Every structure is written in structure tokens, then in C-alpha cells.
Amino acid sequence: MRLWRALLYRLSGLIGPRMVVGFTRYDGVRLPRVRVSNMTRIEHPHQLMVDDNVFIGHFNLIDASGGLAIGEGCQITNYVSLLTHSSHDALRLYGAAYLDHREHAGYLKKPTVLGKYCFVGPHAVLMPGVRLGKGCLVSAYSLVEAGDYPDFAVLAGNPARVVGDTRSRDEKFLAAHPELKPLYEAWAHD
């Protein structure tokens, strides 16, 4: 009977998406508050540095081949691509001869960093070399190109541009719930 239940449990993960609570990083550190969908693809997990209390939703591509850091409290919604390498320029340059070469002009590999408490909306793409400051919000369907983005930036568009500051949104909530201000300031002002 136990074997049957174990088999059903494993099959349920094949049938549909579910959140898996708890994550063990490549360095052996167990992060009990990280939630990752069973339908998210993580490539090169040994290059992925995740802090606790991170949420990674369904149907994402997390490419850590060039180094990827996801800060505490980040939320990555659904259908997001976090990239640390790109070969599309090299493929166009080499054409059919791409696989015949080892070193490729146009091949890009750079670390990507998400600061604490960032939010990445559905269908967003973060290209290699993106460095988001803490508290950033990336709007749905945005393409964020390589570069450094300031703390609390709201990014939107294709290519994404800074269009606002999350602190103006946060002020409204904090005014309505002043008891949360010390909790907010604990990470926002560190």
C-alpha cells in the first residue's frame, strides 16, 4: 500500500504543476521557505545562489550557467526566463558552421543578479548580465537587457526602461498599515 501511494505521489507531479516547498542549494544549505514549481526548469543548479523565502512559479526557465543570484524574498511568477548565456548572435554569425567551432564570437555569458524582494512578472525575459537592485518590479512581458538597475525600480517594456519607483506604491500600503513599517524598513534600509 505504501508503494502504491508513493507511485501515485510521483505521478501527480507528472500530471500537473505543483509547488515544492523547501530547496537545497548546491552548497548543501537547506532553505525551508523557498517554493519552486515542479514545472520550472533549472539549468546548471551548481551555479545558482538562492536566498531563503524565494518563490519561483510555474513554467519558468532558470539558466544559471553563467552564474545566477536570486536574493531573499524574490518572487518569479510564471513563464519567466532568467538567462545567463545567449548564443543567438553567434548562431546568426556562424550559421550552419556553429557546431563546428568551439569559441564563438557573439556568444554572451554573464552573471545575472536579482536583489532582495524583487518581483518578476509573467512572460518577462531577463537577459545575461542584468543586475536588479533590491525591491525592483519587472512588469509582465518585459525584456530586460544587460545592465545595472537601481533599487526599487519599476521596469516595463521591450526593451524595458525604468518607469517608476516601487516605494511610491509601498508608501500607500505602509500608510494604511503602519505596523508593517519596521518590517519593511528592516530590509529596505539595510
Side-chain angles (χ1 to χ4, degrees), residues 33-100:
R33 297 170 56 133
V34 170
R35 288 99 55 217
V36 180
S37 170
N38 67 323
M39 297 293 188
T40 282
R41 170 87 179 158
I42 299 175
E43 295 184 355
H44 303 275
H46 63 284
Q47 295 285 87
L48 174 61
M49 179 54 72
V50 177
D51 288 335
D52 211 3
N53 202 27
V54 167
F55 174 89
I56 302 174
H58 305 303
F59 311 111
N60 296 303
L61 172 61
I62 309 296
D63 159 40
S65 63
L68 176 62
I70 302 174
E72 174 185 307
C74 285
Q75 295 178 314
I76 299 161
T77 58
N78 303 315
Y79 300 99
V80 170
S81 294
L82 299 180
L83 306 175
T84 63
H85 85 278
S86 177
S87 59
H88 71 274
D89 287 331
L91 282 166
R92 281 196 314 279
L93 293 171
Y94 289 87
Y98 178 82
L99 293 177
D100 298 329

Coordinates of all heavy atoms in Angstrom, one line a residue, residues 33-100:
R33 N 12.0 27.8 3.3 CA 10.9 28.7 2.9 C 10.9 29.0 1.4 O 10.2 29.8 0.9 CB 11.0 30.0 3.7 CG 10.7 29.7 5.2 CD 11.0 30.9 6.0 NE 10.2 32.0 5.6 CZ 9.6 32.8 6.4 NH1 9.6 32.6 7.7 NH2 8.9 33.8 5.9
V34 N 11.8 28.4 0.7 CA 11.8 28.5 -0.8 C 10.8 27.6 -1.4 O 10.6 26.5 -1.0 CB 13.2 28.2 -1.4 CG1 13.2 28.1 -2.9 CG2 14.2 29.2 -0.9
R35 N 10.0 28.2 -2.4 CA 9.0 27.4 -3.1 C 9.3 27.5 -4.6 O 9.5 28.5 -5.1 CB 7.6 28.0 -2.8 CG 7.1 27.7 -1.4 CD 7.2 28.9 -0.5 NE 6.6 30.2 -0.9 CZ 7.2 31.3 -0.7 NH1 8.3 31.4 0.0 NH2 6.6 32.4 -1.1
V36 N 9.4 26.3 -5.2 CA 9.7 26.2 -6.6 C 8.8 25.2 -7.2 O 8.5 24.1 -6.7 CB 11.2 25.7 -6.8 CG1 11.5 25.6 -8.3 CG2 12.2 26.5 -6.1
S37 N 8.2 25.6 -8.4 CA 7.3 24.7 -9.1 C 8.0 23.5 -9.7 O 9.2 23.6 -10.1 CB 6.7 25.5 -10.3 OG 6.0 24.6 -11.1
N38 N 7.3 22.4 -9.7 CA 7.9 21.2 -10.3 C 8.0 21.3 -11.8 O 8.6 20.5 -12.5 CB 7.1 19.9 -9.9 CG 5.7 19.9 -10.5 OD1 5.0 21.0 -10.6 ND2 5.2 18.8 -10.9
M39 N 7.3 22.4 -12.4 CA 7.3 22.6 -13.8 C 8.3 23.7 -14.2 O 8.2 24.2 -15.3 CB 5.9 23.0 -14.3 CG 4.9 21.9 -14.0 SD 5.3 20.5 -15.1 CE 3.9 19.5 -14.9
T40 N 9.2 24.1 -13.3 CA 10.2 25.1 -13.7 C 11.5 24.3 -14.0 O 11.9 23.4 -13.3 CB 10.5 26.1 -12.5 OG1 9.4 27.0 -12.6 CG2 11.8 26.8 -12.6
R41 N 12.2 24.7 -15.0 CA 13.4 24.1 -15.5 C 14.6 24.9 -14.9 O 14.7 26.1 -15.2 CB 13.5 24.0 -17.0 CG 14.8 23.6 -17.6 CD 14.9 22.2 -17.7 NE 16.2 21.9 -18.3 CZ 16.8 20.7 -18.2 NH1 16.2 19.8 -17.5 NH2 18.0 20.5 -18.7
I42 N 15.4 24.3 -14.1 CA 16.6 24.9 -13.6 C 17.9 24.2 -14.2 O 18.1 23.1 -14.0 CB 16.7 24.8 -12.0 CG1 15.5 25.5 -11.4 CG2 18.0 25.4 -11.5 CD1 15.5 25.4 -9.9
E43 N 18.6 25.0 -15.0 CA 19.8 24.5 -15.7 C 21.0 25.0 -14.9 O 21.1 26.2 -14.5 CB 19.8 25.0 -17.1 CG 18.7 24.4 -18.0 CD 18.8 24.8 -19.4 OE1 19.6 25.6 -19.8 OE2 17.9 24.3 -20.2
H44 N 22.0 24.1 -14.7 CA 23.2 24.4 -14.0 C 23.0 24.8 -12.6 O 23.4 25.9 -12.1 CB 24.1 25.4 -14.8 CG 24.3 25.0 -16.2 ND1 25.4 24.2 -16.5 CD2 23.7 25.3 -17.3 CE1 25.4 24.0 -17.8 NE2 24.4 24.6 -18.3
P45 N 22.3 24.0 -11.8 CA 21.9 24.4 -10.4 C 23.2 24.7 -9.5 O 23.1 25.4 -8.5 CB 21.1 23.2 -9.9 CG 21.4 22.1 -10.8 CD 21.8 22.7 -12.1
H46 N 24.3 24.1 -9.9 CA 25.6 24.4 -9.2 C 26.0 25.8 -9.3 O 26.9 26.3 -8.6 CB 26.7 23.4 -9.6 CG 27.1 23.5 -11.0 ND1 26.3 23.1 -12.1 CD2 28.1 24.1 -11.6 CE1 26.8 23.4 -13.2 NE2 28.0 24.0 -13.0
Q47 N 25.5 26.6 -10.2 CA 25.8 28.0 -10.4 C 24.7 28.9 -9.9 O 24.8 30.1 -10.2 CB 26.0 28.3 -11.9 CG 27.2 27.6 -12.5 CD 28.5 28.2 -12.1 OE1 29.1 27.9 -11.0 NE2 29.0 29.1 -12.8
L48 N 23.7 28.4 -9.2 CA 22.6 29.1 -8.8 C 22.7 29.4 -7.3 O 22.8 28.4 -6.5 CB 21.3 28.3 -9.0 CG 20.0 28.9 -8.5 CD1 19.7 30.3 -9.1 CD2 18.8 27.9 -8.8
M49 N 22.7 30.7 -6.9 CA 22.7 31.0 -5.5 C 21.4 31.6 -5.1 O 21.0 32.7 -5.6 CB 23.9 32.0 -5.2 CG 23.9 32.5 -3.8 SD 24.1 31.2 -2.5 CE 25.7 30.6 -2.8
V50 N 20.6 30.9 -4.3 CA 19.3 31.4 -3.9 C 19.3 31.6 -2.4 O 19.9 30.9 -1.7 CB 18.2 30.3 -4.2 CG1 16.9 30.7 -3.8 CG2 18.2 29.9 -5.7
D51 N 18.7 32.7 -2.0 CA 18.5 33.0 -0.6 C 17.1 32.5 -0.2 O 16.3 32.1 -1.1 CB 18.6 34.5 -0.3 CG 20.1 35.0 -0.4 OD1 21.0 34.2 -0.3 OD2 20.3 36.2 -0.7
D52 N 16.8 32.5 1.1 CA 15.5 32.0 1.6 C 14.3 32.9 1.2 O 14.5 34.0 0.9 CB 15.6 31.7 3.1 CG 14.8 30.5 3.5 OD1 14.2 29.9 2.6 OD2 14.7 30.3 4.7
N53 N 13.2 32.3 1.3 CA 11.9 32.9 1.2 C 11.6 33.4 -0.3 O 11.0 34.4 -0.6 CB 11.7 34.1 2.1 CG 10.2 34.4 2.3 OD1 9.4 33.6 2.2 ND2 10.0 35.7 2.6
V54 N 12.2 32.6 -1.2 CA 12.0 32.9 -2.7 C 10.9 32.0 -3.2 O 10.7 30.9 -2.8 CB 13.3 32.6 -3.4 CG1 13.1 32.5 -4.9 CG2 14.4 33.6 -3.0
F55 N 10.1 32.6 -4.1 CA 9.0 31.9 -4.8 C 9.3 31.9 -6.3 O 9.6 32.9 -6.9 CB 7.7 32.6 -4.6 CG 6.6 32.0 -5.4 CD1 5.8 31.0 -4.8 CD2 6.3 32.5 -6.6 CE1 4.7 30.5 -5.6 CE2 5.2 32.0 -7.4 CZ 4.4 31.0 -6.8
I56 N 9.3 30.7 -6.9 CA 9.6 30.5 -8.3 C 8.4 29.7 -8.9 O 8.3 28.5 -8.6 CB 10.9 29.9 -8.7 CG1 12.1 30.7 -8.0 CG2 11.1 29.7 -10.2 CD1 13.4 30.0 -8.2
G57 N 7.5 30.4 -9.6 CA 6.3 29.8 -10.1 C 6.4 28.8 -11.2 O 7.5 28.2 -11.5
H58 N 5.4 28.6 -11.9 CA 5.3 27.5 -13.0 C 5.8 27.9 -14.3 O 5.7 29.1 -14.7 CB 3.8 27.1 -13.2 CG 3.1 26.7 -11.9 ND1 3.6 25.7 -11.1 CD2 2.0 27.2 -11.3 CE1 2.8 25.5 -10.0 NE2 1.8 26.4 -10.1
F59 N 6.4 27.0 -15.0 CA 6.8 27.1 -16.4 C 7.9 28.1 -16.7 O 7.8 28.9 -17.7 CB 5.6 27.3 -17.3 CG 4.5 26.3 -17.0 CD1 3.3 26.8 -16.5 CD2 4.6 25.0 -17.3 CE1 2.3 25.9 -16.2 CE2 3.6 24.1 -17.1 CZ 2.4 24.5 -16.5
N60 N 8.9 28.2 -15.8 CA 10.0 29.1 -16.0 C 11.2 28.4 -16.5 O 11.4 27.2 -16.2 CB 10.3 29.8 -14.6 CG 9.2 30.6 -14.1 OD1 8.7 31.5 -14.8 ND2 8.7 30.3 -12.9
L61 N 12.1 29.2 -17.1 CA 13.4 28.7 -17.4 C 14.4 29.5 -16.6 O 14.5 30.7 -16.7 CB 13.7 28.9 -18.9 CG 15.2 28.6 -19.3 CD1 15.6 27.1 -19.0 CD2 15.5 28.9 -20.8
I62 N 15.1 28.8 -15.7 CA 16.1 29.4 -14.9 C 17.5 28.9 -15.3 O 17.9 27.7 -15.1 CB 15.9 29.0 -13.4 CG1 14.5 29.3 -13.0 CG2 16.9 29.7 -12.5 CD1 14.1 30.8 -13.0
D63 N 18.2 29.7 -16.1 CA 19.5 29.3 -16.7 C 20.6 29.9 -15.8 O 20.8 31.1 -15.8 CB 19.7 29.8 -18.1 CG 21.1 29.9 -18.6 OD1 21.9 29.0 -18.2 OD2 21.5 30.9 -19.2
A64 N 21.3 29.1 -15.1 CA 22.4 29.6 -14.2 C 23.8 29.3 -14.7 O 24.7 29.5 -13.9 CB 22.2 29.0 -12.8
S65 N 23.9 29.0 -15.9 CA 25.2 28.6 -16.5 C 26.3 29.6 -16.3 O 27.5 29.3 -16.1 CB 25.1 28.1 -17.9 OG 24.7 29.2 -18.7
G66 N 25.9 30.9 -16.3 CA 26.9 32.0 -16.2 C 26.9 32.6 -14.8 O 27.6 33.5 -14.5
G67 N 26.2 32.0 -13.9 CA 26.1 32.5 -12.5 C 24.8 33.3 -12.3 O 24.6 34.2 -13.0
L68 N 24.0 32.8 -11.4 CA 22.7 33.5 -11.1 C 22.5 33.6 -9.6 O 22.6 32.6 -8.9 CB 21.5 32.7 -11.8 CG 20.1 33.2 -11.5 CD1 19.9 34.6 -12.1 CD2 19.1 32.2 -12.1
A69 N 22.2 34.8 -9.2 CA 21.9 35.0 -7.7 C 20.5 35.6 -7.6 O 20.2 36.6 -8.3 CB 22.9 36.0 -7.1
I70 N 19.7 34.9 -6.8 CA 18.3 35.4 -6.5 C 18.2 35.7 -5.0 O 18.4 34.8 -4.2 CB 17.3 34.3 -6.9 CG1 17.5 33.9 -8.4 CG2 15.9 34.7 -6.6 CD1 16.6 32.7 -8.9
G71 N 18.0 37.0 -4.7 CA 18.0 37.4 -3.4 C 16.8 37.0 -2.6 O 15.8 36.6 -3.1
E72 N 16.9 37.2 -1.3 CA 15.9 36.9 -0.3 C 14.5 37.5 -0.7 O 14.5 38.7 -1.1 CB 16.3 37.4 1.0 CG 15.2 37.2 2.1 CD 15.6 37.9 3.4 OE1 16.8 37.5 3.9 OE2 14.9 38.7 3.9
G73 N 13.5 36.7 -0.6 CA 12.1 37.2 -0.8 C 11.7 37.5 -2.3 O 10.7 38.1 -2.5
C74 N 12.5 37.2 -3.2 CA 12.2 37.4 -4.6 C 11.0 36.6 -5.0 O 10.8 35.4 -4.6 CB 13.3 37.1 -5.6 SG 14.6 38.4 -5.5
Q75 N 10.2 37.1 -5.9 CA 9.0 36.4 -6.5 C 9.2 36.4 -8.0 O 9.3 37.4 -8.6 CB 7.7 37.0 -6.1 CG 7.4 37.0 -4.7 CD 6.1 37.7 -4.4 OE1 5.9 38.8 -4.9 NE2 5.3 37.1 -3.6
I76 N 9.3 35.2 -8.6 CA 9.4 35.0 -10.0 C 8.1 34.3 -10.4 O 7.9 33.1 -10.0 CB 10.6 34.2 -10.4 CG1 11.9 34.9 -9.9 CG2 10.7 33.9 -11.9 CD1 13.1 34.1 -9.8
T77 N 7.2 35.0 -11.1 CA 5.9 34.4 -11.4 C 6.0 33.3 -12.4 O 6.7 32.3 -12.2 CB 5.0 35.5 -11.9 OG1 5.5 36.1 -13.1 CG2 4.8 36.6 -10.8
N78 N 5.2 33.3 -13.5 CA 5.1 32.2 -14.4 C 5.6 32.6 -15.8 O 5.5 33.7 -16.2 CB 3.7 31.7 -14.5 CG 3.1 31.3 -13.2 OD1 3.8 30.6 -12.4 ND2 1.9 31.7 -12.9
Y79 N 6.2 31.6 -16.5 CA 6.6 31.8 -17.9 C 7.8 32.8 -18.0 O 7.8 33.6 -18.9 CB 5.5 32.2 -18.8 CG 4.4 31.1 -18.9 CD1 3.2 31.3 -18.1 CD2 4.5 30.0 -19.7 CE1 2.2 30.3 -18.2 CE2 3.6 29.0 -19.7 CZ 2.4 29.2 -18.9 OH 1.4 28.2 -19.0
V80 N 8.6 32.9 -17.0 CA 9.7 33.8 -16.9 C 11.0 33.1 -17.4 O 11.2 31.9 -17.1 CB 9.9 34.4 -15.5 CG1 11.2 35.2 -15.4 CG2 8.7 35.2 -15.1
S81 N 11.9 33.8 -18.1 CA 13.2 33.3 -18.5 C 14.3 34.2 -17.8 O 14.3 35.4 -18.1 CB 13.4 33.3 -20.0 OG 12.5 32.5 -20.6
L82 N 15.0 33.6 -16.9 CA 16.2 34.3 -16.3 C 17.4 33.7 -17.0 O 17.7 32.5 -16.8 CB 16.2 34.0 -14.8 CG 15.1 34.5 -14.0 CD1 15.3 34.2 -12.5 CD2 14.9 36.0 -14.2
L83 N 18.1 34.5 -17.7 CA 19.2 33.9 -18.6 C 20.6 34.5 -18.1 O 20.7 35.6 -17.7 CB 19.0 34.4 -20.0 CG 17.6 34.0 -20.6 CD1 17.4 34.5 -22.0 CD2 17.4 32.5 -20.6
T84 N 21.6 33.6 -18.3 CA 23.0 34.0 -18.1 C 23.9 33.7 -19.2 O 25.1 33.9 -19.2 CB 23.5 33.3 -16.8 OG1 23.5 31.9 -17.0 CG2 22.7 33.6 -15.6
H85 N 23.3 33.1 -20.3 CA 24.1 33.0 -21.5 C 23.1 33.1 -22.7 O 21.9 33.0 -22.6 CB 24.8 31.6 -21.6 CG 23.9 30.5 -22.1 ND1 23.0 29.8 -21.3 CD2 23.8 30.0 -23.4 CE1 22.4 28.9 -22.1 NE2 22.8 29.0 -23.3
S86 N 23.7 33.5 -23.9 CA 22.9 33.7 -25.1 C 23.8 33.4 -26.3 O 24.9 33.9 -26.4 CB 22.4 35.1 -25.2 OG 21.7 35.3 -26.4
S87 N 23.3 32.6 -27.2 CA 24.1 32.2 -28.4 C 23.4 32.7 -29.6 O 23.9 32.4 -30.7 CB 24.3 30.7 -28.4 OG 23.0 30.1 -28.5
H88 N 22.3 33.5 -29.5 CA 21.6 33.9 -30.7 C 22.4 34.7 -31.7 O 22.3 34.5 -32.9 CB 20.2 34.5 -30.4 CG 20.3 35.9 -29.9 ND1 20.5 36.1 -28.5 CD2 20.2 37.1 -30.4 CE1 20.5 37.4 -28.3 NE2 20.3 38.0 -29.4
D89 N 23.3 35.6 -31.2 CA 24.1 36.4 -32.1 C 25.1 35.5 -32.8 O 25.4 35.6 -34.0 CB 24.8 37.5 -31.4 CG 23.9 38.6 -31.0 OD1 22.9 38.9 -31.7 OD2 24.2 39.3 -29.9
A90 N 25.8 34.6 -32.0 CA 26.8 33.7 -32.6 C 26.1 32.7 -33.6 O 26.8 32.5 -34.6 CB 27.4 32.9 -31.4
L91 N 25.0 32.3 -33.3 CA 24.3 31.4 -34.3 C 24.1 32.1 -35.7 O 24.3 31.5 -36.7 CB 23.0 30.9 -33.8 CG 23.1 29.7 -32.8 CD1 21.8 29.5 -32.0 CD2 23.5 28.5 -33.4
R92 N 23.7 33.3 -35.6 CA 23.5 34.1 -36.9 C 24.8 34.3 -37.6 O 24.9 34.2 -38.8 CB 22.8 35.4 -36.6 CG 21.3 35.3 -36.4 CD 20.6 36.7 -36.5 NE 21.3 37.8 -35.8 CZ 21.2 38.0 -34.5 NH1 20.4 37.2 -33.7 NH2 21.8 39.0 -33.9
L93 N 25.9 34.6 -36.8 CA 27.2 34.8 -37.4 C 27.8 33.6 -38.1 O 28.3 33.6 -39.2 CB 28.2 35.3 -36.3 CG 27.8 36.7 -35.8 CD1 28.8 37.0 -34.6 CD2 28.0 37.8 -36.8
Y94 N 27.6 32.4 -37.4 CA 28.3 31.2 -37.9 C 27.3 30.4 -38.8 O 27.8 29.5 -39.5 CB 28.7 30.3 -36.7 CG 29.9 30.9 -36.0 CD1 29.7 31.8 -35.0 CD2 31.2 30.5 -36.3 CE1 30.8 32.3 -34.3 CE2 32.3 31.0 -35.7 CZ 32.1 31.9 -34.6 OH 33.2 32.5 -34.0
G95 N 26.1 30.6 -38.7 CA 25.1 29.8 -39.5 C 25.3 28.3 -39.2 O 25.5 27.9 -38.0
A96 N 25.3 27.5 -40.2 CA 25.3 26.0 -40.1 C 26.7 25.6 -39.5 O 26.8 24.5 -39.0 CB 25.1 25.4 -41.4
A97 N 27.7 26.4 -39.5 CA 29.0 26.0 -39.0 C 29.2 26.2 -37.5 O 30.2 26.0 -37.0 CB 30.1 26.8 -39.8
Y98 N 28.1 26.7 -36.9 CA 28.2 27.0 -35.4 C 28.7 25.8 -34.6 O 29.6 25.9 -33.8 CB 26.8 27.4 -34.9 CG 26.8 27.7 -33.4 CD1 27.2 28.9 -32.9 CD2 26.4 26.7 -32.5 CE1 27.2 29.2 -31.6 CE2 26.3 27.0 -31.1 CZ 26.8 28.2 -30.7 OH 26.7 28.5 -29.3
L99 N 28.2 24.6 -34.9 CA 28.6 23.4 -34.1 C 30.0 23.0 -34.4 O 30.6 22.1 -33.7 CB 27.6 22.3 -34.3 CG 26.2 22.6 -33.7 CD1 25.3 21.4 -33.9 CD2 26.3 22.8 -32.2
D100 N 30.6 23.5 -35.5 CA 32.0 23.1 -35.9 C 33.0 23.9 -35.2 O 34.2 23.6 -35.4 CB 32.1 23.2 -37.4 CG 31.2 22.4 -38.2 OD1 30.8 21.3 -37.7 OD2 30.7 22.8 -39.3

